[in-house]
Amino acid sequence: MAQAAVPARLGFLLMEGFPMACLTSAIEPLRAANEITGRREFQWRLVGEDGTPVRSSAEVRFDPDMALADAEGLDYLMVLASPTSRFENPRRAYGQLRWLDRSGIVLGGFSGGIFPLARSGLMEGYRCSVHWCYEAAFKAEFPEITASGSAILRDRRRYTVSGAGAVFDLMLRLIEERLGRDAMTEVACWFQHPFVRDEDASQKVPVAKLGGTDDMLPGPIREAIRIFAEHIEDPIQISDVASAVDLSERHLERCFKQATGQSPLKYYRLMRLKKARQRVLYSTDTITEIAQSVGYASSTPMARHYAEAFGVNPHDERRRLNGLRGLAGAMPPRD
């Protein structure tokens, strides 16, 4: 394949608390592609809101190559952040992102980076990949945006990726599109990356207390869990779920315990509590609002079940997080 005249230019916008694994999963395959071809096919720059070092999730600080206001000449700009990351000057940052969008570059978000990208208004009318552990918080903050369980989602000029492993897969796709399948395969083999996810591959989601993922479960149990997921705010009776999957309630109980180690009722409650915890950790909703969003009439029984499940009261967990975010300069949620 003939060499392209100009390297593909990628910018990675780093925000406080960004997932470091996503950054290395993006840069390393591109570096390998350059080394394998002996040409600078890809260039990358680290971008910060300003020129100051940015702290990652692993407490490692990175020095940006440029400030967001100076980000020009890029083909892609990917936002790396935690769900609670905030710009120091949102008006200026969002304005610059909108200017970059008008210039025709591809914008995207890795992991929690979808949150600040959505807050900028630049995800309106686009679908996006949202990591399963952020789904409840994202849907609460952005009910008008279609959140997908796909690991990678490319919707026109918006590229969103759920987590670090999927970021690596996206980079392999970009390498394949630019350099061909042979080059992509060699890069994958350099890193002993055993397979490349299809574009429409769903995220792997763990099954509570089983040590496996949901795609390993028997069909009726997967369907029961899907029905549970559709009734987080308005709890459904287990007998109704059993009827929906064509099993007696007793048989569903037996099959469910065999597949997951838990009764359907306990599993369902834990699902609702995990959604509640996402919003405790990553949203600005009050504990009462969170309780109601997962089917509790008040916060008191939810807080009791939450403490039983996670070993900490939701108020205490939020206060602890508020303290940590205060140290990092992030905006705390309402309590």
Side-chain angles (χ1 to χ4, degrees):
M1 181 174 293
Q3 179 181 0
V6 180
R9 299 156 299 183
L10 295 90
F12 300 106
L13 175 56
L14 309 181
M15 299 182 67
E16 195 73 13
F18 74 91
M20 191 172 79
C22 286
L23 180 62
T24 57
S25 291
I27 291 176
E28 281 297 288
L30 302 180
R31 175 195 63 80
N34 287 347
E35 191 166 340
I36 287 167
T37 60
R39 303 186 299 266
R40 187 171 288 277
E41 293 285 350
F42 297 93
Q43 291 181 341
W44 52 88
R45 294 290 183 269
L46 303 186
V47 182
E49 183 177 3
D50 51 34
T52 59
V54 184
R55 179 185 57 87
S56 72
S57 57
E59 302 293 336
V60 178
R61 293 181 182 272
F62 289 79
D63 293 318
D65 299 307
M66 63 176 69
L68 179 58
D70 301 321
E72 297 180 1
L74 299 174
D75 301 305
Y76 306 84
L77 180 69
M78 302 299 170
V79 183
L80 285 73
S82 80
T84 57
S85 299
R86 305 276 177 164
F87 288 111
E88 288 291 330
N89 189 328
R91 183 176 179 181
R92 181 187 301 168
Y94 295 158
Q96 181 66 10
L97 288 173
R98 286 191 287 271
W99 180 84
L100 289 168
D101 179 47
R102 290 194 299 272
S103 74
I105 78 168
V106 172
L107 296 174
F110 295 164
S111 188
I114 186 59
F115 282 78
L117 191 60
R119 291 181 190 121
S120 74
L122 288 166
M123 289 306 300
E124 292 179 9
Y126 292 89
R127 298 175 300 127
C128 61
S129 168
V130 178
H131 196 289
W132 59 266
C133 75
Y134 301 147
E135 177 193 19
F138 186 86
K139 288 182 175 179
E141 187 172 352
F142 308 107
E144 73 285 357
I145 298 177
T146 302
S148 168
S150 297
I152 301 169
L153 206 162
R154 294 199 278 180
D155 186 358
R156 292 158 287 167
R157 289 190 297 109
R158 297 292 183 273
Y159 292 6
T160 52
V161 188
S162 57
V167 169
F168 197 102
D169 287 330
L170 174 62
M171 295 301 110
L172 290 177
R173 291 294 181 199
L174 296 183
I175 291 166
E176 181 180 18
E177 289 164 5
R178 184 177 179 87
L179 302 175
R181 189 164 187 82
D182 287 348
M184 181 273 284
T185 301
E186 187 168 351
V187 171
C189 290
W190 265 40
F191 295 96
Q192 291 298 291
H193 197 68
F195 68 94
V196 183
R197 263 173 281 239
D198 293 332
E199 289 271 340
D200 58 352
S202 297
Q203 297 175 42
K204 297 288 187 180
V205 180
V207 176
K209 300 184 184 299
L210 181 64
T213 54
D214 56 354
D215 56 328
M216 300 166 59
L217 294 172
I221 306 305
R222 284 202 311 274
E223 179 64 11
I225 291 174
R226 186 193 65 78
I227 294 170
F228 290 160
E230 291 179 347
H231 291 273
I232 297 297
E233 188 171 355
D234 55 331
I236 188 172
Q237 295 295 317
I238 300 301
S239 58
D240 293 333
V241 176
S243 297
V245 298
D246 263 343
L247 296 176
S248 69
E249 187 172 355
R250 184 175 179 181
H251 190 41
L252 175 63
E253 178 102 9
R254 184 165 58 251
C255 292
F256 213 98
K257 281 186 175 179
Q258 185 177 15
T260 70
Q262 298 180 81
S263 70
L265 184 60
K266 285 185 177 180
Y267 191 97
Y268 186 22
R269 177 184 291 174
L270 186 58
M271 278 186 72
R272 292 162 54 209
L273 290 170
K274 285 183 174 180
K275 297 293 186 184
R277 195 179 200 194
Q278 289 181 28
R279 295 177 72 164
V280 169
L281 296 175
Y282 306 121
S283 82
T284 60
D285 299 331
T286 67
I287 302 301
T288 298
E289 289 169 340
I290 292 170
Q292 292 170 348
S293 76
V294 295
Y296 286 87
S298 71
S299 63
T300 301
M302 192 274 282
R304 185 176 67 254
H305 292 155
Y306 190 104
E308 291 171 358
F310 306 122
V312 61
N313 181 283
H315 294 278
D316 293 338
E317 184 156 48
R318 176 161 279 182
R319 276 192 287 269
R320 178 180 64 81
L321 284 170
N322 285 352
L324 293 174
R325 288 168 182 155
L327 291 174
M331 181 183 296
R334 296 174 290 147
D335 204 347

